[in-house]
Amino acid sequence: MDTASTLIGLGLLAVFVLPILFLIWQQNTKEKNRLKNLKELSIKNNLNTDTIEISATLLLGLDSKAKKLLVIEPTNNMQHQILDLSYIKNAKVSSHPFPDKPELIKRISLDLSENRNNKKLTEIIFYDEDDNSSNNASERLVIAQKWNRIISEKLSA
């Protein structure tokens, strides 16, 4: 094999591999920035988040000792709210199908409410077809159910 063939082969390998490596590096950088933002907001609000969830559209941090949940929406200019779980009595996952196609999920949320008259305090949106069509609805449903379990355990403790 001559040098020219080797160089062409290495050049073609670089053309196919380098963009993939760049995308992986870029994704890792975004995730590190999201984690950094979550930690900064936790410290700013005197929270010690021991359970976290990081996705493109939602950052969650739970302080188990203080029973507070930090909810951050990175797509909404890092808007955040702190939920005191001591006021929450019920948590349930709601999946809303499309009106014309009930087999497809349009929206997945975790509804947190008080026990008296079941007044909804807030909802945490894990999936919305209109906002993020690139996410997998079934994957987000599993994550919403996981957080429902975590919050329900904290409510019963």
Side-chain angles (χ1 to χ4, degrees), residues 51 60 62 64 67-69 84-86 88-94 109-113 124 126 143-157:
T51 307
L60 296 174
L62 177 67
S64 295
K67 288 192 174 184
K68 294 193 179 190
L69 180 66
D84 192 348
L85 297 181
S86 60
I88 295 169
K89 302 299 178 200
N90 294 323
K92 72 172 190 167
V93 176
S94 298
S109 65
L110 179 60
D111 299 331
L112 305 173
S113 60
I124 303 169
F126 282 84
I143 292 171
Q145 290 169 341
K146 174 185 114 178
W147 276 91
N148 184 34
R149 267 192 321 276
I150 291 170
I151 291 173
S152 296
E153 288 172 3
K154 298 303 172 195
L155 295 177
S156 63

Side-chain angles (χ1 to χ4, degrees), residues 63-100:
D63 185 343
S64 295
K65 291 181 182 174
K67 288 192 174 184
K68 294 193 179 190
L69 180 66
L70 176 62
V71 181
I72 305 170
E73 298 176 19
T75 56
N76 198 3
N77 200 16
M78 294 304 284
Q79 182 179 351
H80 68 282
Q81 68 184 98
I82 299 172
L83 303 173
D84 192 348
L85 297 181
S86 60
Y87 294 116
I88 295 169
K89 302 299 178 200
N90 294 323
K92 72 172 190 167
V93 176
S94 298
S95 60
H96 308 278
F98 282 98
D100 53 339

Side-chain angles (χ1 to χ4, degrees), residues 10-128:
L10 288 174
L12 288 173
L13 180 66
V15 165
F16 290 110
V17 172
L18 288 179
I20 295 170
L21 292 176
F22 176 73
L23 289 174
I24 292 171
W25 173 77
Q26 188 178 32
Q27 187 66 28
N28 286 341
T29 303
K30 284 181 183 179
E31 190 161 326
K32 285 179 185 176
N33 286 338
R34 289 184 188 116
L35 180 61
K36 179 181 161 199
N37 289 334
L38 177 69
K39 293 293 183 185
E40 286 175 357
L41 279 172
S42 296
I43 291 170
K44 184 179 175 183
N45 292 297
N46 296 324
L47 296 174
N48 183 18
T49 53
D50 50 3
T51 307
I52 60 172
E53 184 73 43
I54 299 174
S55 71
T57 58
L58 186 64
L59 305 176
L60 296 174
L62 177 67
D63 185 343
S64 295
K65 291 181 182 174
K67 288 192 174 184
K68 294 193 179 190
L69 180 66
L70 176 62
V71 181
I72 305 170
E73 298 176 19
T75 56
N76 198 3
N77 200 16
M78 294 304 284
Q79 182 179 351
H80 68 282
Q81 68 184 98
I82 299 172
L83 303 173
D84 192 348
L85 297 181
S86 60
Y87 294 116
I88 295 169
K89 302 299 178 200
N90 294 323
K92 72 172 190 167
V93 176
S94 298
S95 60
H96 308 278
F98 282 98
D100 53 339
K101 294 183 179 178
E103 68 275 2
L104 297 177
I105 297 175
K106 179 175 176 46
R107 187 171 180 217
I108 298 170
S109 65
L110 179 60
D111 299 331
L112 305 173
S113 60
E114 293 179 347
N115 201 12
R116 351 168 236 189
N117 69 13
N118 216 13
K119 178 185 168 197
K120 187 193 301 188
L121 289 176
T122 189
E123 70 177 347
I124 303 169
I125 299 172
F126 282 84
Y127 177 80
D128 191 351

